[in-house]
Amino acid sequence: MSYAVEGLGIEKSFVRKRSLGQLLRDPFGRAERVHALRGVDLQVGDGEIFGLLGPNGAGKTTLLKILSCLVLPDKGQARILGVDTADEDRVKPQLGLVTTDERSFYWRLSGRENMRFFSILYDVPSDRRMARIDELLERVGLTEAADQRFSDYSAGMKQRLSIARSLLHDPPVLLMDEPTRSLDPAASLELRAFVKDELKARDRKTIILATHNLPEAEALCDRLAILIKGKIRQEGSVDAVRAFGLETHGYELEVDRWPGDFSGPAQVHKTESIPDGTLVQLSLTDGAELGDLLSALMHAGVAVRRCDRHESDLEEAFTRILDAEEPDDSAKPGGSGRQTGGAV
Ligand SMILES: Nc1ncnc2c1ncn2[C@@H]1O[C@H](COP(=O)(O)OP(=O)(O)OP(=O)(O)O)[C@@H](O)[C@H]1O
Ligand SMILES: [Mg+2]
């Protein structure tokens, strides 16, 4: 099977930057290296929105830079639509990069002038250039503000122009680095809807989205990878990643009473008195089914008024994944492998 984006054992280290104080104290000291990526394998299917999640410094931006030909990996390979990113001339037309780096725009130029500049850089044919720019400015809602200076744009407008710029050459693959960072909640929701309805559903783009925002990843992504200290620790559908570390499904029950000596097939996590009854949170013991629990409750004379699955959210799963992280595994590349088994 061929993938839209593929990473094979990608490793990257940088020389750690030293402060002026460190340089003065030890001018000839050996330069330390930071292992930003330590053997990343990645497969993103055509038309997928793939989330890249991880704490600060996990390596998300470095990975996106490697995929977009801005940085070369030390080891391993990245491929876009089957072409190695070392072949920049063939790969770049397939890619659009959306970053929060506002310095990549010309602040004294208007939105439209910026777009004109980048359209030349991206080889948009001159006879189609102006129509393409107008169409994209319209799609991201910047038609009226097109002739305002970029420096006068709000954070949301700057971000929308960044998306419009990435679409100039109509690339099939988009790489988005924290596209909603610094946006207010309303602007974030608007941008999310644009990604889902326009870029995915209408344009059928393949998108890799690096984000810290877990609800955003939950709402947008078909699959996710959790990157920690340069390695992918979990990967799979949102549901599978959410279920990490939960061997069985959890349930929340509302019952008329809870017998203290209940010995049914469940591990009880919490009981709480509510008007006329008890609220119970539990998970099934290994191999048990919900039906087994319900019949055990019936035999014990307990009336069940409500029984719902208690879903773990991505935030809880993310915390469990961080807790499961091996503490001594960050020093060297190629440490222990990623986990994809079990729930994922
Ligand atoms: N050009 C560079 N020179 C030195 N170190 C670098 C360079 N670029 C990245 N790093 C280091 O590599 C590691 C990964 O950085 P990266 O920016 O990829 O993380 P990130 O997951 O994008 O973090 P954030 O969530 O804060 O954006 C960090 O320790 C960072 O300091
Ligand atoms: Mg980053």
Side-chain angles (χ1 to χ4, degrees):
M1 180 181 171
S2 70
Y3 296 100
V5 181
E6 204 173 1
L8 301 159
I10 298 176
E11 290 182 22
K12 181 73 194 173
S13 67
F14 296 101
V15 173
R16 193 186 291 280
K17 288 175 190 139
R18 298 206 293 163
S19 67
L20 186 61
Q22 286 169 324
L23 281 170
L24 289 173
R25 270 195 305 278
D26 185 10
F28 304 111
R30 258 188 71 179
E32 256 184 77
R33 296 196 78 84
V34 186
H35 294 287
L37 297 174
R38 298 183 296 129
V40 169
D41 294 321
L42 185 83
Q43 287 93 27
V44 180
D46 203 23
E48 256 191 326
I49 303 189
F50 187 89
L52 202 54
L53 272 71
N56 289 125
K60 304 178 295 296
T61 298
T62 305
L63 184 56
L64 292 190
K65 282 184 177 169
I66 288 174
L67 295 175
S68 52
C69 313
L70 293 173
V71 167
L72 280 173
D74 298 336
K75 268 196 193 166
Q77 247 192 352
R79 294 193 201 126
I80 306 293
L81 300 170
V83 182
D84 195 307
T85 51
D87 190 349
E88 259 186 68
D89 292 344
R90 281 176 66 206
V91 168
K92 277 196 166 164
Q94 313 294 340
L95 280 174
L97 178 65
V98 181
T99 67
T100 44
D101 187 2
E102 295 163 355
R103 290 168 305 176
S104 61
F105 283 98
Y106 290 91
W107 282 55
R108 287 167 179 229
L109 298 184
S110 68
R112 194 194 303 281
E113 286 164 340
N114 267 289
M115 289 287 277
R116 202 177 299 152
F117 173 83
F118 287 105
S119 67
I120 297 168
L121 218 61
Y122 293 158
D123 285 333
V124 179
S126 54
D127 55 334
R128 294 220 313 270
R129 215 170 273 157
M130 292 322 288
R132 180 83 185 138
I133 291 170
D134 285 344
E135 178 205 329
L136 288 172
L137 289 172
E138 171 81 40
R139 277 190 77 186
V140 299
L142 285 177
T143 301
E144 278 183 20
D147 298 311
Q148 272 178 37
R149 273 183 177 207
F150 181 80
S151 55
D152 295 338
Y153 279 8
S154 68
M157 290 159 85
K158 286 176 179 147
Q159 199 57 311
R160 282 187 274 148
L161 192 70
S162 179
I163 292 181
R165 175 177 65 177
S166 75
L167 296 171
L168 273 167
H169 53 305
D170 199 15
V173 177
L174 288 178
L175 307 175
M176 308 181 106
D177 197 0
E178 298 188 51
T180 55
R181 190 169 77 180
S182 75
L183 298 192
D184 65 42
S188 296
L189 283 178
E190 203 179 292
L191 200 118
R192 258 189 229 175
F194 185 79
V195 171
K196 197 161 188 166
D197 304 339
E198 294 281 315
L199 302 180
K200 181 183 163 80
R202 189 189 127 163
D203 298 349
R204 308 210 171 278
K205 305 280 185 206
T206 301
I207 300 170
I208 301 189
L209 178 99
T211 182
H212 285 286
N213 187 321
L214 302 179
E216 176 173 295
E218 257 177 319
L220 283 180
C221 299
D222 301 302
R223 286 193 310 129
L224 302 173
I226 310 273
L227 191 67
I228 298 175
K229 295 180 192 162
K231 272 188 154 278
I232 291 181
R233 293 298 180 188
Q234 282 296 316
E235 184 188 341
S237 67
V238 176
D239 281 345
V241 173
R242 218 190 261 138
F244 172 83
L246 293 179
E247 278 71 31
T248 57
H249 295 309
Y251 289 93
E252 187 172 270
L253 273 61
E254 211 178 290
V255 293
D256 62 341
R257 63 185 184 85
W258 188 253
D261 58 351
F262 181 67
S263 60
Q267 195 186 348
V268 178
H269 304 304
K270 191 175 157 192
T271 57
E272 185 187 322
S273 290
I274 51 170
D276 295 334
T278 307
L279 195 69
V280 187
Q281 278 177 8
L282 49 74
S283 52
L284 298 176
T285 46
D286 270 356
E289 308 242 336
L290 181 61
D292 303 331
L293 171 69
L294 293 178
S295 62
L297 286 169
M298 210 170 74
H299 278 109
V302 176
V304 178
R305 296 191 193 125
R306 179 173 68 80
C307 173
D308 291 326
R309 275 273 290 278
H310 175 67
E311 299 285 357
S312 153
D313 67 16
L314 203 53
E315 208 159 321
E316 290 167 2
F318 192 67
T319 310
R320 287 195 296 275
I321 292 165
L322 278 174
D323 287 348
E325 166 70 1
E326 300 115 272
D328 60 348
D329 195 29
S330 59
K332 56 195 185 297
S336 68
R338 76 173 140 159
Q339 303 166 336
T340 51
V344 178

